[in-house]
Amino acid sequence: MKLSIMVTVSMFILATFSGCGGGGGSMSGPSGPGDGGGGGQQPIGIKLSGVCLGPYIVGNPNSGAVVSESDLRQYLTIIALNFKSVRFYGSTGGLEKGPAIAKSLGLKVASGAWIGANDSANDKEIASLKANCEAHFVDVAVVGNEVFLRNDQTETKMLGYLSVIKATGVTTTIVEEWNALLKHPNIMNACDELWVNIYPFWEGVAIDQSMARFEADYNQVKSAAGGKKIVISETGWPSAGSANSAAIPTLENEAKYLANLVAWAKTNQVEYYLFEMFDEPWKSEPGGVGPNWGMWGTNLQLKAGLEKVFSADNTGGGSGGGSGGGGGDNGGGNLPTFIYTPIVNVPQAVNDLGKRICQEQRNIVTPGGTEWSPAFSSADQSSFNSSGKLATIVTQVKSSQDFTAGVASIKTLSAADQTRIFTSFITPLYSTWAMNGHVGSDGTTDAGYAVEKQISTALTNAVKEAIGVSGGDDDEGNLPVISYNPISSVPQAVNDLGKRICQEQRLVVTPGGNSWSPGFSSYDQSVFNSSGKLATIVTKVKATQVFTAGVASIRTLSADDQSRVFTSYQKPLYPTWAMNGHIGSDGTTDAGYAVEGQIAAALSDAVKAAL
């Protein structure tokens, strides 16, 4: 990416907030699309991950325009119909009201402090952002946007601003153009998450090569991220203006790029913020593309042809999360409404996650969230246990913003507070099941309670695993010691993952890892297949550093070496099962071998999918 080009794109964002610190006339936006429906008032399709809001549809912030609270509410209402998250760039000039409004509309809020060369204005931005964080209106605090690209501040000064906001306990980051961020490893280390702006358009790439360039840029950041979450804080394509080398700004190309980006993010489970929500006519950039980055026009209507962008993300979950019971990141409207008793003296994100855990229970035990009906019987419990839905729920929730934000907040708390949280999370939604009259059609009173307990326990354990509590990345020594034959001429991380795949087989077929005992029968095989444990194992291993490092190393290998790796991974731990005397109590010899093969195949497939 050429620095001169990126300075250009950054300068129009700088100008957006250059007048935020001062006064100025109030800005009154359009009257809106009317009450008769239309793209601005109805959901377009599936809610997308997030969008950047530049609210100056009329007026010019360089002339002192201040966005009004009523305009913000109007814009955010449209955003809430179509996105799960919104990103603000500043916290003064009227924008300080945005997070509270956005929260009231159910949006996740990424709120920023605009940092420029003026220290006095910067201090006001930081103070205002800090106040909104302390009021629990902010999920992620963004300190500055492309500050280093513009050379507005020193690294030392930015680290100071960052520390002020991090002290609030809110997830905190600094946004940079991807290449500029890589030049500041101290900033990368200090941020809770890595938020990067990636623009193939400004790199002069043709639309048909745009996603290849995007992914190449993203992977450079990923290779230096040290396992930290990466969020695409800005990306987009203008709908009009002059070409930038091979990059042609047309409405068709805007639709194509955004749809491809959404599909890529779904596949790779990456959170993103599209740039931007509305056209802003005051902006000027080379080629006249400045006013034309919006998905919605100044009439507050979606631009023609962009509907397909909202059908590309059809998972209903998080940033490319799963599907099924419970809906999307915040349910997309599919999660039930009920009274949730919050945990006291913890960040809002913790209670958001606690509520989500309860909602997932409610979605299964009272389908659709209908209170107390229909009844949940032992037959329903049996069906749930054999369906594998528990693992699906865990995977879905782990890919959601509720989970990411909740885990980040829990990490900041004391051990005592974490214990309080886990005690609350693991408690079933309705622990006095029979007292509430929720008796199954077969007269059972504990089936619903039992399933709720399974769900709350599995999700609580997922949270613990994510923050390194109780077992940690490699189960803190709970994995069995085995004799593992390494694959030759591959990085150590590849063999570490291969060994982990074998250890997971051993844990199931020889409980506790005890050699050859107890026997694994066809009955044990039947129980395993109906338990949903296979999916749980895959979910657990995918969350480990062993998996992440192994996949990263396999990516560097040739196709022939990758084939050797997968051939090894897919082999059951003990292929000559009967020869080793491991005969089940019912005389069968192939049950353990078969289950080992299932585990090996499922984990190998997970590695392939990650590649």
Side-chain angles (χ1 to χ4, degrees), residues 110 116 263 328 380 499 526 585:
D380 297 322
K499 183 176 181 179
S526 176
S585 56

Side-chain angles (χ1 to χ4, degrees), residues 199-321:
Y199 283 100
F201 178 86
W202 288 116
E203 297 184 61
V205 177
I207 188 65
D208 289 340
Q209 284 78 50
S210 59
M211 284 311 302
R213 176 60 62 86
F214 175 94
E215 188 165 27
D217 295 345
Y218 174 84
N219 284 337
Q220 289 197 54
V221 179
K222 186 175 181 179
S223 67
K228 284 190 176 181
K229 177 182 177 180
I230 302 171
V231 175
I232 306 305
S233 41
E234 282 182 26
T235 194
W237 197 278
S239 60
S242 300
N244 178 40
S245 188
I248 311 298
T250 66
L251 185 54
E252 181 182 2
N253 283 348
E254 180 180 21
K256 184 173 183 178
Y257 178 77
L258 294 178
N260 287 340
L261 183 281
V262 169
W264 176 90
K266 167 187 167 182
T267 299
N268 292 277
Q269 297 190 358
V270 175
E271 184 179 353
Y272 59 89
Y273 290 80
L274 301 180
F275 187 86
E276 62 179 322
M277 183 64 186
F278 300 109
D279 280 342
E280 295 184 87
W282 69 275
K283 292 179 177 177
S284 61
E285 289 177 300
V289 298
N292 302 306
W293 289 86
M295 301 180 70
W296 271 251
T298 56
N299 62 352
L300 308 191
Q301 300 290 325
L302 184 72
K303 293 178 181 177
L306 294 190
E307 295 86 355
K308 70 177 183 179
V309 179
F310 294 84
S311 63
D313 182 74
N314 54 17
T315 65
S319 304

Side-chain angles (χ1 to χ4, degrees), residues 10-336:
S10 300
M11 290 307 293
F12 87 87
I13 301 174
L14 168 64
T16 302
F17 295 100
S18 60
C20 285
S26 176
M27 183 185 73
S28 178
S31 59
D35 297 327
Q41 291 293 343
Q42 300 295 326
I44 305 303
I46 297 298
K47 285 188 179 182
L48 304 184
S49 173
V51 71
C52 302
L53 175 60
Y56 300 97
I57 296 173
V58 296
N60 187 332
N62 290 335
S63 302
V66 176
V67 62
S68 70
E69 188 171 346
S70 61
D71 283 346
L72 276 176
R73 183 171 293 279
Q74 183 181 24
Y75 305 153
L76 289 167
T77 297
I78 302 173
I79 289 173
L81 288 171
N82 299 291
F83 296 90
K84 300 163 189 167
S85 309
V86 63
R87 180 186 169 202
F88 298 98
Y89 287 87
S91 292
T92 60
L95 290 173
E96 67 275 7
K97 302 291 187 182
I101 299 171
K103 269 294 181 185
S104 73
L105 294 169
L107 285 161
K108 175 184 175 181
V109 176
S111 189
W114 184 260
I115 303 298
N118 186 319
D119 287 348
S120 176
N122 294 343
D123 290 343
K124 292 178 181 177
E125 287 280 334
I126 291 293
S128 182
L129 176 58
K130 181 172 181 285
N132 270 330
C133 289
E134 291 173 339
H136 305 297
F137 295 141
V138 178
D139 297 292
V140 179
V142 180
V143 180
N145 186 78
E146 298 184 341
V147 173
F148 296 123
L149 192 65
R150 298 190 306 271
N151 200 28
D152 278 352
Q153 289 292 342
T154 65
E155 189 174 274
T156 299
K157 197 65 174 284
M158 291 304 295
L159 288 170
Y161 290 141
L162 194 68
S163 66
V164 171
I165 301 302
K166 287 187 75 170
T168 65
V170 172
T171 299
T172 306
T173 191
I174 289 173
V175 165
E176 270 300 332
E177 179 268 333
W178 70 271
N179 197 31
L181 180 67
L182 294 179
K183 298 173 183 176
H184 292 273
N186 290 335
I187 294 294
M188 295 176 71
N189 289 335
C191 289
D192 295 321
E193 300 174 350
L194 302 183
W195 285 42
V196 290
N197 297 343
I198 301 178
Y199 283 100
F201 178 86
W202 288 116
E203 297 184 61
V205 177
I207 188 65
D208 289 340
Q209 284 78 50
S210 59
M211 284 311 302
R213 176 60 62 86
F214 175 94
E215 188 165 27
D217 295 345
Y218 174 84
N219 284 337
Q220 289 197 54
V221 179
K222 186 175 181 179
S223 67
K228 284 190 176 181
K229 177 182 177 180
I230 302 171
V231 175
I232 306 305
S233 41
E234 282 182 26
T235 194
W237 197 278
S239 60
S242 300
N244 178 40
S245 188
I248 311 298
T250 66
L251 185 54
E252 181 182 2
N253 283 348
E254 180 180 21
K256 184 173 183 178
Y257 178 77
L258 294 178
N260 287 340
L261 183 281
V262 169
W264 176 90
K266 167 187 167 182
T267 299
N268 292 277
Q269 297 190 358
V270 175
E271 184 179 353
Y272 59 89
Y273 290 80
L274 301 180
F275 187 86
E276 62 179 322
M277 183 64 186
F278 300 109
D279 280 342
E280 295 184 87
W282 69 275
K283 292 179 177 177
S284 61
E285 289 177 300
V289 298
N292 302 306
W293 289 86
M295 301 180 70
W296 271 251
T298 56
N299 62 352
L300 308 191
Q301 300 290 325
L302 184 72
K303 293 178 181 177
L306 294 190
E307 295 86 355
K308 70 177 183 179
V309 179
F310 294 84
S311 63
D313 182 74
N314 54 17
T315 65
S319 304
S323 60
D329 203 8
N330 284 309
N334 295 329
L335 288 177

